[in-house]
Amino acid sequence: MGLTVELGARSYPLEMGALSELGGKLAAVTAPGPCVLVSNEVVGPLYARAALTSLEQAGFQASLEIIPDGEVNKTLATWQDLVHRLLALGVDRKTPVISLGGGVTGDIVGFAAASTMRGVPFVQVPTTLLAMVDASVGGKTGVNTERGKNLVGAFYQPILVHAALDTLGTLEPAELRCGLGEVLKHAVLEGEGFLGWLESKAAELVGRDPDALAHAVARCCAYKADIVRRDEREGGLRAILNCGHTLGHALERELGYGRLRHGEAVAVGMVAEAHMAVAMGLAEAGFPERIEALCVALGLPLRSPDSVPAQALVQATQHDKKRARGILTAALPCAPGKVSLTAVTPAELLIGARAVLPLEV
């Protein structure tokens, strides 16, 4: 099963299936030849051999490179090292570079592909739920700096996304929760139909029911693909996908990358921003509590695991990419299918954050 991310000349297929199908799917979009498979220290030992076998059976000559795993390694140093390795392998502008792993790996490899020789073909093979429903769709690539998340990078579309659904069975519980945080975000954005489905299927998703997971991936990908089709570079509509990210990214930064996983931070941020929306008169009464109930059902946190100084958290939001000319715009969840792109002040950020985070004043 699959769909197409429609972007004119840059359109690409988004396939969902077994990892063993990768080679055939890639051969359908580019002629077999040399390629580079890049994975990380966790995913590589589990799945690199299967991916290489599939590629080789389809006629590709694949090299394997391994990079460090985890948000703490999503740095300029890791990106630079990978670029040097790609150049040492002799890649040219027709050599596909394939990311096998989660969102962090995809972001680093995608940025390396975008910048090596000013762009080589990029393929996403997401192996985590978070990457399947979020990071692998839309062409955002990049790395973090000490000033914030994803501040150095590029919009660079892949030529293929192949969501390897059979890899979800080996996800650690924390990684599954991380992905469910983004599934929750997509359900809030899409509306009552998806949100109600999620409420009825929360137990199956936590229990890794294959049909429930496949449905969630397909639905999230279809929704995000439609948003990206209409607003590829986040000029307006696509900004709604940042729901929960303003405070979520700030919390990740202040806690130290890796202390709270991205999807967990988004869930906490979404709860906080829903409370902020109520205080600003934008959200339906009781909507934050509905999000909270789903967080509990999905095993997601409602609060930061550690205290954060209030002013430090607010200051961290000032490095957000969505800040323009001194104004920070947040995507506030207001009701099922309704998000308000609203300019927010530091005082308003604190109103929402204090409702759900153990902040130090």
Side-chain angles (χ1 to χ4, degrees):
M1 63 182 158
L3 55 90
T4 300
V5 181
E6 299 286 356
L7 291 171
R10 295 183 311 287
S11 297
Y12 57 91
L14 193 160
E15 303 287 351
M16 289 162 272
L19 184 57
S20 60
E21 300 172 7
L22 170 61
K25 299 297 185 183
L26 183 56
V29 297
T30 189
C35 67
V36 182
L37 179 72
V38 184
S39 192
N40 62 58
E41 299 161 332
V42 175
V43 175
L46 292 172
Y47 296 114
R49 174 42 54 195
L52 290 169
T53 297
S54 178
L55 290 166
E56 290 162 0
Q57 288 176 343
F60 292 92
Q61 298 87 53
S63 301
L64 174 65
E65 295 291 331
I66 300 294
I67 61 175
D69 183 45
E71 196 79 33
V72 295
N73 292 303
K74 188 177 166 182
T75 62
L76 284 165
T78 304
W79 162 77
Q80 180 177 318
D81 177 66
L82 179 56
V83 169
H84 286 315
R85 284 198 259 170
L86 293 176
L87 292 173
L89 287 170
V91 300
D92 61 34
R93 289 185 174 174
K94 292 187 177 181
T95 306
V97 174
I98 305 161
S99 170
L100 177 71
V104 169
T105 300
D107 281 356
I108 297 168
V109 178
F111 186 32
S115 49
T116 300
M117 305 187 75
R118 295 181 177 161
V120 298
F122 174 45
V123 178
Q124 284 267 28
V125 187
T127 60
T128 67
L129 181 60
L130 176 64
M132 290 179 192
V133 302
D134 183 52
S136 66
V137 183
K140 285 186 178 181
T141 71
V143 296
N144 304 331
T145 76
E146 62 183 13
R147 291 185 175 274
K149 283 178 65 70
N150 303 319
L151 294 182
V152 179
F155 284 97
Y156 192 65
Q157 300 296 343
I159 62 171
L160 168 70
V161 175
H162 181 67
L165 296 175
D166 50 344
T167 64
L168 295 179
T170 57
L171 279 185
E172 295 179 358
E175 280 291 347
L176 180 66
R177 288 196 303 273
C178 190
L180 291 175
E182 284 284 351
V183 173
L184 172 58
K185 183 197 78 175
H186 279 87
V188 168
L189 295 176
E190 184 178 320
E192 188 60 54
F194 194 7
L195 196 63
W197 178 88
L198 186 58
E199 288 170 326
S200 70
K201 298 293 184 178
E204 282 103 315
L205 290 168
V206 172
R208 303 174 190 249
D209 178 79
D211 291 338
L213 286 171
H215 180 85
V217 170
R219 195 150 182 173
C220 289
C221 287
Y223 178 81
K224 187 169 184 181
D226 183 58
I227 295 294
V228 171
R229 174 185 63 80
R230 291 187 281 164
D231 180 16
E232 181 182 1
R233 291 179 173 260
E234 206 170 275
L237 175 65
R238 186 170 175 175
I240 68 173
L241 296 173
N242 294 315
C243 181
H245 285 59
T246 298
L247 285 168
H249 275 178
L251 190 58
E252 282 186 89
R253 178 188 174 190
E254 290 307 301
L255 290 174
Y257 295 123
R259 177 69 179 91
L260 195 64
R261 294 172 187 254
H262 176 69
E264 296 173 326
V266 168
V268 173
M270 194 157 38
V271 170
E273 291 169 19
H275 281 285
M276 182 164 59
V278 170
M280 295 171 68
L282 299 172
E284 295 179 352
F287 191 51
E289 289 73 23
R290 188 174 181 189
I291 296 175
E292 289 177 344
L294 258 171
C295 285
V296 171
L298 295 170
L300 293 162
L302 301 178
R303 291 172 175 78
S304 166
D306 302 311
S307 295
V308 178
Q311 294 307 320
L313 187 65
V314 171
Q315 184 62 34
T317 66
Q318 302 311 299
H319 297 292
D320 194 290
K321 301 187 301 302
K322 298 167 288 295
R323 185 172 181 265
R325 298 186 178 181
I327 299 173
L328 177 63
T329 299
L332 303 179
C334 301
K338 181 182 178 183
V339 174
S340 177
L341 296 174
T342 302
V344 294
T345 66
E348 289 165 339
L349 284 167
L350 285 176
I351 289 172
R354 283 187 173 126
V356 293
L357 304 179
L359 297 174
E360 298 173 355
V361 179

